[in-house]
Amino acid sequence: MQLNKLVTFHKVMGDATRIRILALLSKGPKNGQALSGILGLTPPTITHHLTKLREIGLISEKRVKNTIYFQVNEKLLQQLSLGMMEIVTGKGELEVNQEKTAEHTKILGNYLTKDGKLKTIPPQRKRRLIVLYHLAKGFEAGKKYPEKEINEYIKRFHEDFATIRREFIVNHIMYRENSIYELNPKELWAKIE
């Protein structure tokens, strides 16, 4: 399923008009009428292309009174653009130096009990990602998990399985389709910064 996400991204990006729209939106939010005028296309055509970009999360929208402004999700665009290269070349695995490993171990020690249960979900993003990476080690790459199985696995660590499950999706650690979950390649995971 995770490869489907990259394939879908490249299919959507295989249209010159969509690339032009993203290039325009990267310079700042614009509404559909403005895009229509700049590109010389009809509003329904612009709407069609914006829908395709929105479906894969490459653009977001913000309503100001009666006008909807669109903007690029640059982080996702970069992640998906680099994802293919990292998967194909195998250069996505980051070498973690000793200092970072020690820092991660210390953070895990602060949030996990001696028996491996999660005391609390870290509020700080970096620490939360370190904990999520740790929890994700229990999943097999390529295996499809029903939601019930995911919930049971997470309950072994923390009672709030819904929040942790959602964090796996939001941070691209897992992919969900029709309540079936699959581990994404590590190259797609949100980066710990």
Side-chain angles (χ1 to χ4, degrees), residues 119-185:
K119 297 175 191 173
T120 182
I121 299 171
Q124 185 188 32
R125 185 173 193 278
K126 178 180 178 179
R127 293 176 183 183
R128 189 169 52 250
L129 283 173
I130 290 168
V131 168
L132 291 171
Y133 275 33
H134 174 74
L135 296 179
K137 288 179 183 176
F139 297 113
E140 286 179 47
K143 182 176 177 185
K144 293 172 176 52
Y145 295 90
E147 191 167 285
K148 185 177 180 182
E149 190 174 342
I150 294 289
N151 293 344
E152 291 302 317
Y153 173 79
I154 295 170
K155 281 184 197 176
R156 293 182 359 215
F157 300 97
H158 196 271
E159 62 195 34
D160 191 357
F161 59 87
T163 297
I164 294 173
R165 189 182 66 221
R166 184 174 55 250
E167 288 288 331
F168 280 144
I169 300 303
V170 168
N171 292 295
H172 307 288
I173 294 169
M174 298 195 92
Y175 174 82
R176 175 183 61 211
E177 187 175 320
N178 299 324
S179 297
I180 301 295
Y181 294 73
E182 188 175 343
L183 200 62
N184 275 325

Side-chain angles (χ1 to χ4, degrees), residues 20-50:
R20 287 185 192 106
I21 289 172
L22 287 178
L24 289 169
L25 294 177
S26 71
K27 294 177 175 82
K30 292 185 180 30
N31 62 42
Q33 283 298 116
L35 291 169
S36 177
I38 294 168
L39 295 172
L41 298 170
T42 64
T45 301
I46 294 295
T47 300
H48 166 75
H49 291 295
L50 290 172

Side-chain angles (χ1 to χ4, degrees), residues 75-121:
K75 188 171 184 180
L76 180 62
L77 178 60
Q78 182 179 21
Q79 199 173 31
L80 290 170
S81 297
L82 294 174
M84 179 66 78
M85 187 65 161
E86 291 174 349
I87 287 174
V88 172
T89 63
K91 294 180 181 175
E93 283 295 319
L94 298 175
E95 295 292 327
V96 180
N97 61 35
Q98 293 295 339
E99 186 178 307
K100 281 190 177 180
T101 302
E103 177 191 11
H104 292 195
T105 303
K106 183 179 176 186
I107 288 170
L108 288 173
N110 290 336
Y111 285 96
L112 297 175
T113 62
K114 289 181 182 176
D115 60 349
K117 294 201 180 289
L118 185 58
K119 297 175 191 173
T120 182
I121 299 171

